[in-house]
């Protein structure tokens, strides 16, 4: 997370002080979720982010903020601030696309296992899943680069306004909200970034664990465990192993599917809040 900027706020109205306190409280809650790889924690973090942006929206729509930002010398601040929600919306859309495709591949594999129409059908769906996971890794790498650029732009793009202490508070809220949102998206992408098993037996764990360690992950995510289970299932089918516990495999897939639904719900909630946030800024430019 980008380091926060400490401002000394003076002479602000009581409603504005209350809104500022609400934002600070939400930020503190989110800091406990920041950079976590646990799925439930990431999901809860997105819900918290939506609540944070609701508080930021109230601050932006407050009469004191409206009066300050309508001055000609602060029009540029609003225009620059609009870039933040656009970047966050793009990141949110990219994450939602990954989750929707992941759900689709898991559903296909579940259907093949339930039908049990033939091992070749199951293996085809396994290959489709593994192929998708490999493509996902490339997409995640690209999205992580985009987040890094967004992060570097936070402190550069939003100017420090002079003399107006209320606007200093608004700028601080915008910066820290953007920073924690970027960090949350990064945690989600890292959750999905575990490499799938290689075809060479025994080589997977030696390559997987260092890769996870480099990304700061201390354990395998549910996605990583699903990769292992799917690749093990493929191995059993290729060996003609008849001891395939279909119910156990379906249970594992159901678990990861439920995680995807939880992420999707959290991101949808955040997406709506980001839209309202952007509209609030646009309304300042077009009264």
């Amino acid at each position: 997370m980008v380091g926060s900027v400490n401002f000394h706020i003076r002479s602000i109205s009581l409603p504005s002080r209350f809104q500022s306190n609400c934002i600070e409280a939400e930020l503190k809650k989110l800091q406990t979720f920041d950079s976590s790889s646990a799925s439930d924690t990431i999901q809860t973090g997105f819900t918290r982010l939506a609540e944070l942006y609701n508080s930021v929206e109230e601050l932006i729509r407050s009469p004191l903020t409206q009066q300050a930002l309508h001055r000609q010398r602060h029009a540029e601040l609003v225009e620059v601030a609009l870039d933040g929600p656009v970047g966050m919306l793009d990141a949110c859309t990219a994450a939602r696309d990954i989750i929707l495709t992941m759900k689709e591949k898991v559903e296909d594999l579940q259907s093949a296992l339930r039908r049990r129409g033939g091992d070749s059908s199951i293996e085809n769906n396994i290959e489709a899943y593994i192929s998708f996971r490999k493509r996902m890794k490339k997409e995640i790498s690209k999205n992580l680069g985009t987040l890094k650029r967004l992060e570097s732009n936070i402190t550069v793009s939003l100017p420090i306004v002079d003399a107006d202490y209320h606007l200093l508070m608004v700028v601080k809220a915008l910066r820290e909200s953007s920073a924690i949102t970027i960090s949350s998206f990064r945690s989600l992408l890292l959750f999905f970034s575990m490499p799938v098993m290689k075809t060479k037996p025994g080589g997977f764990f030696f390559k997987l664990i260092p890769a996870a360690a480099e990304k700061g992950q201390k354990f395998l995510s549910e996605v990583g465990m699903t990769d292992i289970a799917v690749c093990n299932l493929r191995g059993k089918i290729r060996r003609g192993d008849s001891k395939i516990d279909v119910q156990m495999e379906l249970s594992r897939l159901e678990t990861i599917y439920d995680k995807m639904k939880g992420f999707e719900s959290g991101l949808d909630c955040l997406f709506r809040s980001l839209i309202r946030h952007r509209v609030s800024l646009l309304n300042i430019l077009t009264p």
Side-chain angles (χ1 to χ4, degrees):
M1 176 179 172
V2 175
S4 61
V5 181
N6 295 319
F7 298 120
H8 298 287
I9 310 298
R10 297 179 300 179
S11 302
I12 58 176
S13 66
L14 289 177
S16 295
R17 188 182 298 277
F18 174 76
Q19 291 156 352
S20 177
N21 290 339
C22 288
I23 292 171
E24 289 293 334
E26 292 297 337
L27 284 167
K28 286 180 180 178
K29 291 177 186 177
L30 282 162
Q31 286 169 358
T32 64
F33 299 109
D34 192 21
S35 301
S36 172
S37 296
S39 58
D40 292 339
T41 303
I42 296 171
Q43 179 184 337
T44 303
F46 286 126
T47 303
R48 296 282 193 190
L49 277 172
E51 295 172 359
L52 170 65
Y53 277 101
N54 290 339
S55 297
V56 172
E57 182 188 0
E58 290 180 6
L59 178 62
I60 292 173
R61 294 173 61 181
S62 70
L64 197 56
T65 303
Q66 297 286 312
Q67 293 167 12
L69 289 176
H70 271 109
R71 298 168 192 159
Q72 183 62 36
R73 67 190 181 94
H74 294 314
E76 181 185 357
L77 171 62
V78 181
E79 293 174 354
V80 172
L82 278 168
D83 292 337
V86 172
M88 303 305 163
L89 285 168
D90 288 344
C92 193
T93 299
R96 290 166 77 195
D97 288 344
I98 288 174
I99 289 170
L100 289 174
T101 309
M102 181 79 174
K103 281 177 59 183
E104 178 185 326
K105 297 304 178 185
V106 170
E107 280 182 317
D108 290 344
L109 192 49
Q110 285 176 312
S111 297
L113 284 169
R114 290 192 183 104
R115 289 194 307 268
R116 203 65 196 275
D119 289 344
S120 61
S121 173
I122 297 175
E123 189 170 1
N124 287 339
N125 281 279
I126 288 175
E127 294 297 339
Y129 172 87
I130 292 174
S131 177
F132 159 70
R133 287 287 287 128
K134 289 178 179 178
R135 294 195 305 273
M136 181 195 284
K137 283 177 59 182
K138 295 179 181 179
E139 188 66 23
I140 286 172
S141 179
K142 183 178 73 174
N143 288 332
L144 286 172
T146 300
L147 289 178
K148 188 174 182 179
R149 289 190 292 274
L150 280 174
E151 191 173 47
S152 65
N153 287 338
I154 291 175
T155 54
V156 175
S157 59
L158 277 175
I160 298 294
V161 291
D162 297 325
D164 197 320
Y165 291 99
H166 179 78
L167 283 186
L168 287 177
M169 179 179 64
V170 174
V171 169
K172 178 184 177 183
L174 291 172
R175 282 179 172 169
E176 295 194 347
S177 299
S178 296
I180 198 73
T181 304
I182 290 170
S183 185
S184 298
F185 282 135
R186 182 183 292 110
S187 294
L188 178 64
L189 293 176
L190 291 178
F191 178 85
F192 282 106
S193 66
M194 288 295 186
V196 296
M197 182 180 282
K198 306 298 181 183
T199 56
K200 185 178 179 181
F204 172 60
F205 289 103
F206 293 102
K207 295 178 181 179
L208 175 64
I209 301 304
E214 287 176 5
K215 299 181 187 308
Q217 298 184 4
K218 298 179 180 179
F219 57 89
L220 290 178
S221 69
E222 288 92 335
V223 175
M225 296 304 295
T226 300
D227 286 349
I228 294 174
V230 168
C231 291
N232 284 339
L233 178 60
R234 179 178 61 174
K236 290 180 180 180
I237 292 174
R238 289 180 173 179
R239 292 191 303 270
D241 191 341
S242 60
K243 298 180 180 179
I244 297 176
D245 190 334
V246 174
Q247 291 305 315
M248 183 176 69
E249 301 298 341
L250 285 172
S251 178
R252 286 171 175 167
L253 291 171
E254 189 64 30
T255 297
I256 195 64
Y257 186 82
D258 288 342
K259 297 297 180 185
M260 298 304 103
K261 289 198 298 184
F263 287 147
E264 184 181 10
S265 175
L267 286 171
D268 285 345
C269 185
L270 175 58
F271 189 85
R272 290 191 294 270
S273 293
L274 286 170
I275 288 290
R276 290 194 295 268
H277 176 55
R278 186 168 186 270
V279 169
S280 294
L281 291 171
L282 283 170
N283 287 339
I284 295 173
L285 293 178
T286 55

